[in-house]
Structure formats: structure tokens, C-alpha cells
Amino acid sequence: MLARSAAMMCAAGVLVLVGCSGGDDGRNAEPAHPASTATSSPAPSSSAPPPPSRSAPTPSASPSPSATAAASARPSPVPVTGPDQKLVVMTVSGGFAGVNQEVTLRGDGSVRTADKGRSAVRRTTTAQFTQLRTLLGDPALDDIPAFTRDTGSADRFQYALQFDGRTIMTDRSAGEPALDRLIGALEKWLPKN
């Protein structure tokens, strides 16, 4: 009798180890172990505790705090310290036609452009001024190297941007989205030839 009880306990233990339990409704079922597919007589119920759940924890639906902070970090407009402050100066040169243009955004919201000896000063709207300052405040600009050019291409426009105490020179071949957005917004102020 003792041998039979030991055999039943052993059989129950094997069933517990392969993930079978009497109350399993199949929702947390794992692939069948080859040993569990053999035909045998059903094991008598035992007083063994139910097997521990071996299913992997479900990942949380909410992102981690650091991922949330990075995703919600939106550029904020750069501060203005005075009306004569030069927030950004962009010079565009090169190309087949030998372009040499400049655009300067000042702290009073004015935009000064220069092209072929002619210059003009225009005013931004409040929305335009905020947009330009926000583009300048994009944290992604901090990661852009000072020099990005395709040295094998001589006919590209060259852009030199001075802002926040630094200068970036590019021909836009590197594909820097934050810099491309800033250049695109500043180019709209240049005179059309």
C-alpha cells in the first residue's frame, strides 16, 4: 500500500511539473510536454497544491517614466534677452549660380535678409516668431555636429548657422530633421530670385 501511495504521489508530481492541473481551463496552457501525451490511466486527485504559474508576466501597457519624459519633452522657445539679440544668423552660399544670401532673426521679432547687395527688414507675426524660437529650442540641435557636408558634391548649397554660441555648417546631406526644419523655416524669409 505504501508503494502504491508513493507511485501516485510521484505521478501527481510529474503532472504538476508539466503544467497539468485539474482546474485548468486552457487559457494559460503551455505546449504539451511529450511525456504528457502518453496514454495512461488518470491520476487520482491528490491534496497537492496547484502548480505555480509559469507564464511570463504581462508587460505593462504604460511606458516607463523615462520613456514618457523623453516623448513628452517638447522644444520650448529660446528666451529673448533684448531687441538687438541675434537669435540666429543663417548664410546660404554655393550652388551653380553662386548664391550668397543671409537671414538674421533678432530679439525684436524682425528678420533682416541680404542678397546680392540688397537688404530688407521684415517683421514676424507673434506666431511666426514663436515658431522660429521653438525650432531654435529643439534639444535635438544639441546633438548635431558642427560640420556635416558631402565633400564629394561641389554643387550643393552650403548653410552656416550661428545660434546659441555655436556654428553649424552643413549642405543638408546628413538628414538632420531638427536642423532641416530650422533651415526650411528660415529659407522662407529669403528673397526669391
Side-chain angles (χ1 to χ4, degrees):
M1 182 77 170
L2 185 59
R4 185 174 179 186
S5 292
M8 287 204 273
M9 290 300 288
C10 183
V14 169
L15 289 176
V16 168
L17 288 176
V18 295
C20 296
S21 69
D24 190 5
D25 63 2
R27 285 182 282 187
N28 293 324
E30 293 185 10
H33 188 278
S36 68
T37 59
T39 308
S40 65
S41 61
S45 62
S46 69
S47 61
S53 174
R54 292 189 296 161
S55 61
T58 305
S60 64
S62 62
S64 68
S66 60
T68 303
S72 66
R74 298 183 192 265
S76 57
V78 295
V80 176
T81 59
D84 293 332
Q85 175 189 9
K86 290 182 181 179
L87 296 170
V88 62
V89 177
M90 180 177 78
T91 305
V92 183
S93 60
F96 287 121
V99 170
N100 189 9
Q101 299 176 316
E102 184 177 280
V103 59
T104 304
L105 175 64
R106 293 191 172 271
D108 64 355
S110 65
V111 176
R112 182 188 165 279
T113 58
D115 182 26
K116 298 178 184 171
R118 296 183 308 246
S119 65
V121 177
R122 294 184 284 162
R123 305 268 325 152
T124 61
T125 65
T126 302
Q128 291 168 329
F129 190 48
T130 301
Q131 178 205 20
L132 290 167
R133 290 175 41 233
T134 302
L135 290 170
L136 282 166
D138 192 331
L141 291 174
D142 296 339
D143 298 329
I144 297 174
F147 189 78
T148 59
R149 287 186 43 203
D150 178 3
T151 56
S153 178
D155 60 343
R156 288 182 165 271
F157 288 118
Q158 306 301 312
Y159 299 85
L161 289 97
Q162 299 171 341
F163 62 95
D164 195 29
R166 63 186 291 219
T167 300
I168 294 177
M169 300 194 63
T170 184
D171 61 4
R172 298 181 82 175
S173 62
E176 299 285 354
L179 185 60
D180 289 340
R181 285 189 294 271
L182 176 59
I183 290 171
L186 291 170
E187 277 183 321
K188 291 177 183 176
W189 292 92
L190 292 171
K192 307 293 183 236
N193 293 328

